Amino acid sequence: MDKKKIAGEKATEYVKDGMILGLGTGSTAYHMVNKIGEMVKAGMDLKGVPTSKATEEQAKALGIPLLSINEVDHIDIDIDGVDEIDPAFNATKGGGGALFREKIVADLADMVIWICDDSKLVDSLGAFPLPIEILQYGYTQTLKKMADYGWNPVLRERDGKVFVTDNGNYIADLHLEKPVDIQDVKEKLATIVGVLETGQFLNFCKYLIVGHDDGVEVIENAKSIKD
Ligand code: 5RP
């Protein structure tokens, strides 16, 4: 059983005709977007707001009608993956580098559904390096401030080159010492000028859908910030 596929497809059961959807990024969201493509082909009236250029290309190829974030006044449901998530529904995202658009789309959505396989469930955040989108200008100063907090920042590279986001920025991956005080890190990040957005998605989701070897689990969050 493909754990990412069953989680991604299960989330589409919440989708209703006429909805505007946030389309997430990554290998789990990929399956969800494929399923949305099938639903559109079958005649459903759905529109998507993609969270990355990669998802935009996938959705276009599937014939999913797309809207830009600037054209919508709301998003009904945002469905996206996570890199890790704790029992209080605090998630780290941005492993694929799309965290900034992902957060703008999630923030606008009436309801957020996170999808993942069970390897993403953690007791406390910090196993996965925390991605931070930073401005190219002055990035060495931004990294130094992060290093001064003891966060062990690493400028993300891909294929031997500095990774550049869809927004033209860099990513610093923070290797935080455990135990991580996520509120303290959040407050300190807000004071660093070159920080544009963070991969901390604290208590966003209404539903967490998890693929296991023996099936799919839906966990409801009774206290989402969206409630
Ligand atoms: C991209 C993300 C992804 O949602 C996250 O990295 C999970 O990806 P995958 O489903 O491939 O494990 O935040 O920026």
Side-chain angles (χ1 to χ4, degrees), residues 42 106 110 117-118 120 143 146-147 157 173 189 201 204 212 222:
D110 296 337
D117 63 65
D118 51 10
K120 307 291 182 74
L143 291 174
M146 294 171 163
E157 294 188 4
D173 290 304
L189 279 166
F201 286 67
F204 266 67
H212 298 276

Side-chain angles (χ1 to χ4, degrees), residues 26 51 81 154 172 182:
T51 54
V154 175
I182 51 177

Side-chain angles (χ1 to χ4, degrees), residues 74-78 102-114 201-207 221-227:
H74 79 289
I75 289 170
D76 293 293
I77 305 179
D78 174 45
E102 289 174 334
K103 194 172 276 187
I104 291 173
V105 171
D107 186 52
L108 192 62
D110 296 337
M111 184 169 88
V112 171
I113 300 176
W114 295 146
F201 286 67
L202 307 183
N203 194 23
F204 266 67
C205 73
K206 181 67 192 168
Y207 296 103
N221 177 5
K223 291 186 203 154
S224 160
I225 53 167
K226 299 268 164 202
D227 287 336

